[in-house]
Amino acid sequence: MAVITLNPEMVAGGAPIFIARNEEEQKRIALILSRVLKGMVHDLENGTYIIVKH
Amino acid sequence: MTSSGLNLEEKKRGRDEGIPMNYNLSIGLGMVAGVLARLFMLRVDYRQYPTYPHGMVTHLALGFIAALIGSVLVPALVFKQFAAVTFLALAAQEFRQVRNMERETLSKLEEAELVPRGLDYIEGIAKTFEARNYLTMATALTVSGLAVASGWWAALVGALFWLIASQFLMKGKVVGDIAEVVPAELHFQGSLLMVDKIFIMNVGLPEMREKILAEGLAVLIKPRDDNGRATLHHVGQRQAILHTAASLLGTKREIGELEFTPLARKNIDTGEIGLFILPVEKDFDCLREIINRVPVLESASRKPLSTLAGRIAAD
């Protein structure tokens, strides 16, 4: 449903992409988006979080 | 059939054929035994089913009808009232609807469950309700039949037998019979939540990981043999375990908080089930007791060991 990343060069595609300046901001955006979208935050462990609806 | 007409004829027949019992009494005894049987079977239900009083009234009313059908059958046969017997058989068919009724109700309630029962559990409950009406009918039939054939004391013995037998017939296998529950370690490999070696899910946010590690509970459900393994392989059985655990221990799962969803995943090599839950009451012994007492669902039960191929493969 959404992608939150620190590395904009690594992501592309159809889902909305949010670029964060640092890890704190990334976590905050991920938390807010997951609550708004009622999805779950998954960590790809490469500086990118994705939000998935299960 | 008016009761006075029936009584006259019955008294005459009673004298002619040596029937020792008043039919009204046999029907009455059958009905009382049937309703009592249904009442006892309903009481034990409270553990698994919402305790709303209207549901109980519905089932008692249906139990009353089932008992009536069962108790009238033998006198109807004695009087060669075959039309009545046919109608009774038709009425008995209606009890199939009990299963549909329960299935529909529970399926609709399922939408409001954060940890659902699962379709298999619902089907199991619905089947049980249908079967208990047939047990009620059988109780009434036997008691009224015995009353007609041998008198009220035989009817009493029959009633006692069925009341006790129905308690045993209700008890199926439980998870504790097919598997053993042991504590397990909850840990993270990077962002992956693991119960021992079993992968459960990917949790992205570090705060959520900390909360899960601090407050979560994990167990391993080890099947005792290949039958147990095949039964626990069934997703519906695992969902029934999760639902029961979450409803008894509480769960921190909330709308939009998917990280706290209780999950049960299989170790694909050994067939062991790793169960994760974020309970309100964190108590391993209670969780073990709860899991041990979850019924083995009829639709999930598998017995590969009862086949030759299954036994050979198990070696």
Side-chain angles (χ1 to χ4, degrees):
Chain A
M1 296 172 82
V3 178
I4 307 106
T5 187
L6 295 170
N7 307 314
E9 70 280 2
M10 288 180 72
V11 293
I17 296 165
F18 297 82
I19 298 158
R21 282 181 289 257
N22 53 49
E23 278 189 24
E24 278 312 305
E25 192 186 38
Q26 186 191 23
K27 280 193 288 187
R28 189 74 192 153
I29 295 174
L31 181 66
I32 293 169
L33 279 177
S34 74
R35 292 302 174 264
V36 172
L37 299 171
K38 295 196 176 69
M40 185 168 167
V41 183
H42 293 294
D43 183 1
L44 302 187
E45 299 182 2
N46 62 354
T48 302
Y49 286 167
I50 55 171
I51 298 190
V52 179
K53 183 101 179 168
H54 288 286
Chain B
M1 285 190 294
T2 61
S3 63
S4 59
L6 185 118
N7 272 339
L8 278 177
E9 192 169 347
E10 167 258 310
K11 277 175 189 158
K12 207 173 77 198
R13 274 169 187 271
R15 276 199 304 278
D16 294 348
E17 297 163 22
I19 299 171
M21 194 70 190
N22 179 316
Y23 289 108
N24 287 340
L25 194 60
S26 80
I27 293 173
L29 278 175
M31 268 176 54
V32 169
V35 171
L36 276 181
R38 187 70 193 96
L39 194 63
F40 287 152
M41 288 190 278
L42 201 60
R43 209 170 52 183
V44 184
D45 264 347
Y46 272 126
R47 192 166 49 99
Q48 334 185 342
Y49 198 53
T51 60
Y52 42 88
H54 295 96
M56 194 163 168
V57 171
T58 310
H59 284 292
L60 272 181
L62 280 166
F64 179 77
I65 296 169
L68 182 69
I69 291 171
S71 58
V72 169
L73 193 66
V74 172
L77 276 173
V78 171
F79 283 111
K80 298 200 166 59
Q81 293 283 343
F82 296 119
V85 175
T86 313
F87 272 112
L88 292 176
L90 276 176
Q93 295 280 317
E94 287 302 310
F95 284 92
R96 281 185 183 178
Q97 292 302 319
V98 174
R99 191 198 294 198
N100 289 337
M101 179 182 86
E102 284 304 322
R103 187 197 292 124
E104 268 175 38
T105 314
L106 286 169
S107 303
K108 280 185 184 139
L109 291 176
E110 191 87 331
E111 290 164 19
E113 294 275 2
L114 283 175
V115 184
R117 286 184 175 83
L119 288 178
D120 293 270
Y121 201 7
I122 289 177
E123 195 58 39
I125 295 173
K127 260 188 224 164
T128 311
F129 272 103
E130 187 190 7
R132 283 179 188 179
N133 276 303
Y134 294 136
L135 278 178
T136 304
M137 228 181 277
T139 307
L141 174 73
T142 318
V143 170
S144 122
L146 282 172
V148 169
S150 315
W152 64 268
W153 54 270
L156 273 186
V157 173
L160 267 179
F161 168 78
W162 270 106
L163 287 181
I164 295 166
S166 59
Q167 298 293 316
F168 280 104
L169 282 170
M170 278 196 312
K171 286 191 187 114
K173 268 192 166 181
V174 290
V175 171
D177 297 333
I178 62 163
E180 184 190 6
V181 180
V182 296
E185 191 203 353
L186 197 60
H187 62 104
F188 277 96
Q189 274 183 12
S191 60
L192 305 180
L193 175 63
M194 313 286 287
V195 169
D196 281 359
K197 292 175 185 166
I198 304 167
F199 165 70
I200 301 291
M201 64 174 147
N202 178 303
V203 180
L205 294 170
E207 292 88 353
M208 297 297 171
R209 289 181 212 158
E210 283 162 25
K211 189 171 173 69
I212 286 172
L213 282 184
E215 298 167 26
L217 203 53
V219 295
L220 267 188
I221 307 174
K222 290 182 166 178
R224 293 188 199 279
D225 57 13
D226 282 19
N227 286 347
R229 194 196 63 211
T231 304
L232 288 171
H233 169 72
H234 197 282
V235 180
Q237 180 65 57
R238 292 187 229 164
Q239 192 59 41
I241 295 174
L242 289 171
H243 172 81
T244 316
S247 44
L248 297 186
L249 284 184
T251 171
K252 294 187 179 171
R253 168 85 166 87
E254 176 46 354
I255 302 164
E257 309 258 1
L258 294 163
E259 287 88 351
F260 305 147
T261 311
L263 288 172
R265 294 284 180 264
K266 185 177 72 164
N267 180 330
I268 54 170
D269 296 320
T270 61
E272 292 169 351
I273 301 297
L275 182 143
F276 154 73
I277 183 169
L278 202 70
V280 178
E281 308 285 347
K282 188 177 173 183
D283 186 326
F284 167 73
D285 290 326
C286 288
L287 181 58
R288 178 169 56 194
E289 264 320 289
I290 290 165
I291 296 174
N292 277 340
R293 290 179 188 195
V294 172
V296 171
L297 305 179
E298 265 181 46
S299 56
S301 181
R302 301 277 185 277
K303 288 187 174 161
L305 288 181
S306 57
T307 66
L308 183 63
R311 278 194 300 275
I312 294 171
D315 289 340

